[in-house]
């Protein structure tokens, strides 16, 4: 908060000094990511093997599949694009990405935006060149290429913290925040709106300080994996984080695994629903050029996307959990609410909720967002039999 006031103060000071206040300097983090960022990221499917052709193919598929028009606009290259620094210290991409500027131009020509990845440490998690000591140069390079999104991944900076402040947790956390703030300042200096994604796996309650270091989103957990146990563990552990999400600032429980093959379509529907209830960034992580019809229908369910992207910008939270049967509610604009009935158990089960438990004292109209059907009026309570590892997602209108 102190740093926010400081930044606001600086903005006002500058306005006063030059009598021009059209774009306040401090406001960048609120100008981008007014709703949770949507797009695609290379890591979950391509990992170390990604190259320029894969990224172009992802961009093409985002247009052809209708994903771009449904809101998926960021095409994000994750780790392993990095090459060497030149004699002046400027980073170059490696030979799998021979022309970053050309790639950005291509992505932009499709009405999409390009994201990139780096680390505050000397090395990224995959051992490639990080930004340590070159933050301003890297931000300048990204802006020159036309980059619109940066995922900044802690990785080897953890080692720097431990080395410079051994056995001093407080000092280490302070160093971590400073490292993120350093890149934030470097990004601001480019005057290019760049979504800033913090990736430090949720250490030190990042949600409580992420906005102060310019984060538009921050990872709240370790890495997701393409299996039910890991996805459910990460997703359901987000209960309680709702107060920290707001337009421009989102909790990020990691990218989607929908369509990668390790879960059933029903489990992927639950994954997509839970991420929408969490107002989580929706970054598809599959090979978009080879989607099954079911995968496409899950990623492109516009009624579910609308829950995630609701302009009120409130994250949902758990209302009740009886064993593996959970009810979650997300407030939406105009007094509407999304209610999700999740079955984490191994057999189908009837899950119920009362309207008063989700904040209504009168009857509401309900629509089932996976069946794409109106359910009709709910007077008092509602029960649905939910399949194992499945979900019923409702939109309620007063
Ligand atoms: C970390 C991040 C992942 C991915 C890899 C890349 O594990 O959490 O999302 O970016 O690094 O090396």
């Amino acid at each position: 908060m102190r740093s926010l006031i400081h930044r606001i103060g600086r903005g006002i000071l500058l306005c006063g000094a030059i009598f021009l206040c059209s774009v306040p300097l401090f406001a960048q983090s609120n100008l981008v990511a007014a709703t949770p960022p949507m797009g695609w990221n290379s890591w979950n499917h391509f990992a170390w093997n990604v190259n320029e052709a894969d990224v172009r193919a992802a961009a093409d598929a985002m247009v052809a599949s209708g994903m771009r028009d449904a809101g998926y606009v960021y095409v994000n290259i994750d780790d392993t694009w990095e090459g060497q620094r030149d004699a002046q210290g400027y980073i170059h991409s490696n030979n799998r990405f021979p022309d970053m500027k050309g790639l950005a131009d291509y992505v932009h020509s499709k009405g999409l935006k390009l994201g990139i990845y780096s680390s505050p440490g000397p090395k990224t998690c995959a051992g490639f060149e990080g930004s340590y000591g070159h933050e301003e140069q890297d931000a300048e390079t990204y802006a020159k290429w036309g980059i619109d999104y940066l995922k900044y991944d802690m990785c080897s900076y953890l080692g720097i913290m431990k080395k410079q402040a051994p056995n001093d947790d407080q000092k280490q956390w302070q160093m971590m925040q400073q490292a993120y703030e350093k890149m934030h300042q470097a990004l601001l200096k480019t005057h290019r709106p760049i979504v800033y994604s913090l990736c430090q796996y949720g250490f030190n309650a990042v949600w409580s300080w992420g906005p102060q270091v310019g984060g538009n989103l921050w990872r709240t957990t370790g890495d997701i994996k393409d299996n039910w146990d890991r996805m459910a563990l990460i997703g359901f552990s987000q209960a309680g984080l709702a107060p920290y999400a707001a337009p421009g600032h989102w909790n990020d429980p990691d990218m989607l695994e929908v369509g990668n093959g390790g879960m059933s379509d029903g489990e992927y529907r639950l994954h997509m629903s839970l991420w929408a209830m969490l107002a989580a960034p929706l970054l598809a992580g599959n090979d978009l050029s080879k989607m099954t019809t079911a995968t496409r229908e899950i990623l492109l369910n516009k009624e579910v996307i609308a829950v995630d992207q609701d302009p009120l910008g409130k994250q949902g939270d758990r209302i009740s959990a009886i064993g593996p049967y959970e009810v979650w509610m997300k407030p939406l604009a105009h007094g509407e609410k999304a209610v999700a009935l999740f079955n984490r158990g191994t057999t189908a089960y009837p899950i119920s909720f009362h309207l008063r438990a989700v904040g209504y004292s009168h009857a509401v109209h309900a629509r089932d967002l996976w069946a794409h059907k109106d359910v009709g009026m709910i007077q008092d309570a509602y029960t649905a039999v939910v399949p194992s590892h499945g979900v019923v997602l409702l939109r309620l209108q007063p």
Side-chain angles (χ1 to χ4, degrees), residues 206-225:
V206 60
W207 42 88
S208 66
W209 53 268
Q212 293 165 42
V213 298
N216 298 115
L217 59 157
W218 43 82
R219 279 273 296 277
T220 52
T221 70
D223 290 12
I224 195 166
K225 288 198 179 69

Side-chain angles (χ1 to χ4, degrees), residues 43 78-79 117 125-126 151 153 199 201 219 223 254-255:
W43 186 253
D78 207 274
D79 204 351
Y117 167 101
C125 293
K151 173 174 169 184
D153 193 352
C199 179
Y201 336 115
R219 279 273 296 277
D223 290 12
D254 208 359
M255 303 167 291

Side-chain angles (χ1 to χ4, degrees), residues 9 20 35 38 49 53 58 64 80 86 94 101 104 118 139 145 192 202 205 228 231 244 255 298 307-308 324 359 394:
L20 182 72
T35 59
M38 291 177 67
N49 300 316
T80 78
D86 61 25
N94 61 36
K101 173 86 177 78
S118 190
W145 284 341
R192 185 178 172 84
W228 163 260
M231 180 281 292
Y244 302 96
M255 303 167 291
I298 293 168
V307 169
D308 180 79
L394 302 174

Side-chain angles (χ1 to χ4, degrees), residues 337 354-364 378-380 398:
K337 291 170 200 263
H354 282 273
L355 285 185
R356 61 179 178 279
V358 298
Y360 287 123
S361 51
H362 46 80
V364 295
I378 300 178
Q379 299 299 334
D380 176 40

